[in-house]
Every structure is written in structure tokens, then in C-alpha cells.
Amino acid sequence: MSNDPSPPAPEAEDEYGDEEQPRETNEGVSQQLADEAATDAAGTDKTATDAVGTDKAATDAASEPADDGATGEDGTGSTPDIPPEVQKYARFKKMDGAEYDRVNEFLRDRTYITAREWAIARLCADFRTETGVEMTKIGNNLPYLVPFMTDTYTPQAVNQARSAFEEKIRKAGATFLYGAMSGFFTAEELDDVMYEVTEVAKFLLEVEGVDLAVAEELAAEDKISSVMREVRESSEELRHDEMECPHCGHEIGGEK
């Protein structure tokens, strides 16, 4: 029996609904991500493999083709019925041995997207051509492309997952931007929020196989912080007719 859900019929399956869990605070998020990455999601060593509840037999089973008659070794180390670009796809290799349920739980605790939506959105971005997304190729080869996905999907199911991902990103973006512009957070509190969400985003990128240099990480964080400071200052002008900040009394747009 596969660990990831079969291609969903009702779109309500993507909604957070009853599965919503309490959100975590931003305290110690970096260390917590590092610890849980080793035990829940990454599956890069024996400890991680044991933590996700798999053993060698389960890992081998997860990597087997969805259709036993569709592929086979031809003596050259390749599977002849799988397109070359699928065989060479290198994303999600750090997730070898991970089960769908544990990956999904990790994402549910920190984001609004499911493991299915995350994986398929990435595949749709990587398998985009001048004429559109190769949804049939993605669906037919999904177990080969993503270690924790063990079912093939129809093109319609692939499109549904991508659409659900995009809708959730828009809603989450609107929610976050409203929170940043509303004045509910002080500048320091907003920095804490930005630090937490940036750590989660960087972790997901690293799991996908993106190699983030320390200098690049620091530069990205500085740029994000600078933009968010500008957003907060601009929102003050939108929310107050007077040009004096209600918090510190300095003239908005002037010197402090």
C-alpha cells in the first residue's frame, strides 16, 4: 500500500480543515529544524531512516516502479521506458527513505501546503517547456521523480495539486503582508517572524537540492529585512493621515 494519497477526487482534500495543528513559536526554530530534519524528513542516514519508520525493505519498495511491467534493467544501468530527463532528475534525493506521512506532517506544522502540493509544484516548475507544463510526464513518472511519492497521477490530478499550491501561496502571502502592514508587530517582532519563515524556506530549498552558500544566505536575509522595513514604514503612511509615527513620535519619511 502506498504512503502518499491517491490522486484526489475532491479538491477539499487539499484544504487544511480538521487537520490543522497548533502553530509553533519562533523560539529555537533553527535548532528545531535541524533536529527534525535529521529525524522526520531528510532520511539521509540510518538515524533518519529509523525515525521515519522505514527499513531497507520499505525503502526498496518505495523506489520500485509503480507498474512492474513498465520498466526493467537493460544491462546499461538505465530503465528504457523512463525518459532520460526523468532518470537524471536530482531533486529530493535527500528525502530517500522518507515516508509521505512524515514529510506531510513536517510541512503541516510549518506551512499551509501538503507534501503532494510541494513536490508537484516543484516538478511543474522544472518540467515547464515553451508550450506548457509536461503534466503527463510528471504524473506517469512521479514515483521515480520524488522518493516519498509512490503512486502515479493523472494530468488532471497534477494540475489540481499545482493549482492548490498556487492558491495557498497567494492566501498565505496576503495574510503575511497584512500582518506586516497592520501594525500588529513591532519592528523587532517582525524581524523575528521573518527569521523564522526564512529558516523554514531555506530548509525546504536545501532539501530540494539547492546548495546555499553562507554568504548568499546572509545577503538574502539582509535584502529581505531591508524590504520588510520599507513595507512597514510605507504602511504607516497608509494607516495614518498624520505624518508622525504613533509609536516613536518621529516624522514619517523624515529623520528620527
Side-chain angles (χ1 to χ4, degrees):
M1 181 178 294
S2 60
N3 291 318
D4 62 289
S6 298
E11 190 160 349
E13 189 172 302
D14 288 319
E15 295 300 324
Y16 210 85
D18 295 335
E19 297 182 29
E20 185 172 359
Q21 302 176 21
R23 308 299 294 171
E24 298 178 359
T25 64
N26 58 358
E27 296 180 0
V29 63
S30 182
Q31 184 61 43
Q32 184 177 13
L33 284 176
D35 293 341
E36 295 196 21
T39 58
D40 286 347
T44 55
D45 55 19
K46 185 177 185 300
T47 301
T49 303
D50 292 341
V52 295
T54 61
D55 53 19
K56 185 177 184 303
T59 303
D60 293 342
S63 62
E64 285 295 317
D67 184 354
D68 293 338
T71 60
E73 295 296 333
D74 59 359
T76 63
S78 63
T79 46
D81 292 337
I82 302 178
E85 58 271 31
V86 172
Q87 296 183 38
K88 296 177 182 178
Y89 192 72
R91 302 273 195 188
F92 301 106
K93 295 303 181 184
K94 294 182 179 181
M95 303 295 284
D96 284 348
E99 288 186 337
Y100 178 90
D101 288 343
R102 298 308 295 271
V103 178
N104 200 48
E105 180 183 357
F106 183 88
L107 287 171
R108 286 293 205 188
D109 286 343
R110 295 162 181 82
T111 74
Y112 285 116
I113 58 175
T114 65
R116 178 176 69 92
E117 292 160 355
W118 172 40
I120 289 179
R122 168 49 58 196
L123 293 173
C124 286
D126 289 345
F127 285 87
R128 179 180 294 278
T129 67
E130 293 182 356
T131 57
V133 177
E134 298 177 290
M135 294 188 181
T136 299
K137 181 181 294 183
I138 291 171
N140 289 344
N141 297 284
L142 192 56
Y144 298 99
L145 293 165
V146 183
F148 55 82
M149 303 293 287
T150 56
D151 283 339
T152 58
Y153 275 38
T154 65
Q156 292 78 10
V158 172
N159 185 54
Q160 180 188 2
R162 182 186 66 165
S163 297
F165 175 87
E166 293 174 350
E167 181 180 359
K168 289 180 180 180
I169 292 298
R170 286 193 294 270
K171 289 182 177 180
T175 303
F176 170 75
L177 192 57
Y178 169 69
M181 296 176 64
S182 63
F184 293 150
F185 300 98
T186 65
E188 291 75 17
E189 289 171 339
L190 191 57
D191 282 343
D192 289 341
V193 172
M194 285 304 304
Y195 173 75
E196 179 181 355
V197 299
T198 300
E199 286 296 298
V200 175
K202 288 192 303 183
F203 173 76
L204 295 180
L205 288 173
E206 289 169 355
V207 169
E208 290 179 8
V210 177
D211 186 15
L212 297 175
V214 174
E216 293 175 341
E217 289 186 23
L218 294 176
E221 289 175 1
D222 288 343
K223 187 178 296 185
I224 293 172
S225 295
S226 176
V227 170
M228 293 313 300
R229 282 193 294 270
E230 293 181 6
V231 168
R232 190 173 184 279
E233 291 173 1
S234 298
S235 69
E236 292 283 1
E237 298 180 16
L238 292 175
R239 291 185 290 108
H240 303 285
D241 293 333
E242 68 275 11
M243 293 302 291
E244 184 177 282
C245 177
H247 302 295
C248 62
H250 80 276
E251 182 179 350
I252 296 177
E255 295 183 358
K256 294 184 180 179

